[in-house]
Amino acid sequence: MQRRRIAVLGVLTVIALGYLLWFTPFLGVSTVEVVGVREVEADRVRSVADVPIDHPMVRVDTDRVAARVSELPGVAEADVSRSWPSTITITVTERRAVAYHESSGGVELVDSTGVLFEHLDAPPDGLPKLDLLDPGPAHDETRAVTAVLAALPTELFEQVVSATAVTPGSVELELTEERVVRWGDAEQNEYKAKVLDVLLTRKGSAYDVSSPELPTVS
């Protein structure tokens, strides 16, 4: 009889704990923490995440929350985790703009993967123009150009006025002072940047590093 009572008590305890965890705010959400944001507003992330305060922690669908946050224009990726006893942590990886694109539809920022993700009223300072007709992440030329731009060291990136490509292997950069760089494909980017850094010490208007072992200045 004593063992039976203990067994029943154990079952009731499990049921009670399950009820507390699943249906009550006993271990409910008290804080939604957003980390990793600089350009995207943390309050905007919380609003889109839509995690109710006091909602049971165990019932928060972290995958669905991450999916909702990832739909924000400036967000490349979102990771959502539980920090017990009562905090939901949303870690955001923001998109990094490497250029802007201007068309009849206006001005849009472009990230390193070729995604157009934010509309602007005017071209931004400090970013080169992506000179392609219809850019996008599925466009080979777009991916080649943005990969090159993303790989440039800061000092060189700041000199780029615009970037274009007719094929993925013909990336071309326009620099300040009306200088043109024939970059070629999006391979050996670090090596090409080092070679170009040396070439730019020489006077010229056209710099070719498409074959970095045989660069030319004209």
Side-chain angles (χ1 to χ4, degrees):
M1 183 64 71
Q2 183 68 20
R3 290 181 179 178
R4 185 177 180 182
R5 289 177 179 174
I6 293 174
V8 171
L9 181 60
V11 171
L12 291 175
T13 300
V14 170
I15 292 174
L17 285 174
Y19 180 82
L20 285 172
L21 292 173
W22 199 257
F23 296 105
T24 77
F26 174 66
L27 283 181
V29 178
S30 66
T31 304
V32 177
E33 182 179 33
V34 179
V35 298
V37 294
R38 292 186 300 175
E39 301 298 327
V40 180
E41 294 182 358
D43 286 344
R44 177 61 174 152
V45 173
R46 292 189 187 92
S47 175
V48 170
D50 192 25
V51 180
I53 296 300
D54 290 336
H55 189 75
M57 288 278 287
V58 295
R59 292 176 60 189
V60 174
D61 188 332
T62 56
D63 290 338
R64 291 186 66 182
V65 173
R68 289 196 291 268
V69 173
S70 295
E71 292 178 358
L72 284 171
V75 174
E77 185 179 349
D79 179 74
V80 180
S81 60
R82 298 176 181 87
S83 300
W84 297 96
S86 59
T87 299
I88 294 295
T89 301
I90 304 173
T91 302
V92 172
T93 301
E94 293 185 332
R95 295 191 183 280
R96 174 198 166 197
V98 296
Y100 72 90
H101 181 253
E102 192 169 14
S103 67
S104 58
V107 177
E108 293 179 282
L109 294 180
V110 187
D111 79 354
S112 59
T113 65
V115 173
L116 286 73
F117 66 95
E118 184 176 344
H119 291 271
L120 302 176
D121 294 330
D125 294 330
L127 287 179
K129 179 179 180 180
L130 182 62
D131 193 8
L132 295 172
L133 182 61
D134 188 22
H139 187 238
D140 292 340
E141 288 75 17
T142 300
R143 293 199 306 273
V145 174
T146 55
V148 170
L149 292 173
L152 296 180
T154 301
E155 186 175 351
L156 178 57
F157 180 82
E158 291 175 346
Q159 299 180 60
V160 182
V161 176
S162 66
T164 189
V166 176
T167 68
S170 64
V171 176
E172 192 169 284
L173 309 176
E174 180 187 351
L175 305 186
T176 55
E177 300 178 4
E178 299 183 349
R179 296 169 295 170
V180 174
V181 177
R182 298 186 183 93
W183 193 273
D185 58 28
E187 303 291 334
Q188 297 180 284
N189 290 327
E190 184 176 351
Y191 182 32
K192 290 178 181 180
K194 290 179 179 178
V195 172
L196 181 59
D197 187 51
V198 175
L199 289 186
L200 290 175
T201 62
R202 298 172 57 182
K203 187 174 181 180
S205 59
Y207 301 81
D208 192 330
V209 293
S210 56
S211 297
E213 295 82 3
L214 298 170
T216 63
V217 180
S218 59

